[in-house]
Amino acid sequence: MKTSTQDRYDAISMTLHWLAAVAVVAAFALGPGDFGRLTDSGIDPGTRLDIVAHESLGLFVFLLTAVRLLWAAVRPPPPSTSGPDWSHVAAVAVRIVLWILLLVTPITALLTLAGDGRPLTLLAGLRLDAMPLVGGWALTQWADWGEVHAFLGDSILWIAGLH
């Protein structure tokens, strides 16, 4: 039985969704839980493929989320849903929370790195040793952004599981 296009999301939305899902899971799996301890002991994050991949995937997730939000503004209307009102409200709330987390979590990583004076290391040998635009913000010292980043990363997976 063929499903009409109004019963499902468009192909671009679905592709962007699953790219984001795979990137988030990969970034989570590669996330070095002992990042601060590693760098404090003198290990250059650029020499660790797990750190480089995690940071690259984090930037990819952030950029992909921005693209997804732009696409959501112009794409064909999403499929209509049926069911109780509370179910629709819960689904919308979970999606909004996920969008926010997908944008904020990479920002907390930048706050962590900039606040600690650590580089952002990316694939292909790209490296930002100093982030003066972020590093000078008082905001970088307001919290242990590394802990916040870890909590938000865990939250993405839990909430995506509910989704």
Side-chain angles (χ1 to χ4, degrees):
M1 173 157 78
K2 186 176 179 181
T3 305
S4 75
T5 57
Q6 294 180 351
D7 292 340
R8 11 177 339 144
Y9 279 91
D10 61 279
I12 294 172
S13 294
M14 290 190 298
T15 300
L16 293 173
H17 172 273
W18 286 109
L19 274 173
V22 169
V24 165
V25 170
F28 182 84
L30 293 168
D34 53 356
F35 177 78
R37 187 173 49 82
L38 288 170
T39 56
D40 287 346
S41 67
I43 293 177
D44 180 355
T47 64
R48 294 277 308 258
L49 184 56
D50 58 337
I51 293 172
V52 172
H54 177 79
E55 292 181 3
S56 298
L57 285 166
L59 182 60
F60 177 70
V61 166
F62 181 81
L63 295 173
L64 185 60
T65 301
V67 168
R68 289 178 69 199
L69 285 170
L70 289 172
W71 177 245
V74 299
R75 73 174 176 218
S80 59
T81 58
S82 60
D85 288 342
W86 69 264
S87 174
H88 176 71
V89 169
V92 169
V94 165
R95 279 196 303 271
I96 289 170
V97 168
L98 279 171
W99 285 112
I100 291 168
L101 288 172
L102 290 169
L103 289 171
V104 171
T105 303
I107 292 170
T108 61
L110 291 176
L111 289 170
T112 301
L113 294 172
D116 292 346
R118 294 191 171 118
L120 172 65
T121 54
L122 302 171
L123 294 172
L126 298 174
R127 180 182 179 120
L128 292 173
D129 284 317
M131 292 180 270
L133 294 177
V134 180
W137 293 356
L139 179 63
T140 61
Q141 303 305 314
W142 285 5
D144 182 344
W145 293 110
E147 290 294 323
V148 173
H149 180 75
F151 174 78
L152 295 178
D154 291 348
S155 297
I156 289 173
L157 289 184
W158 282 103
I159 294 170
L162 291 173
H163 161 72

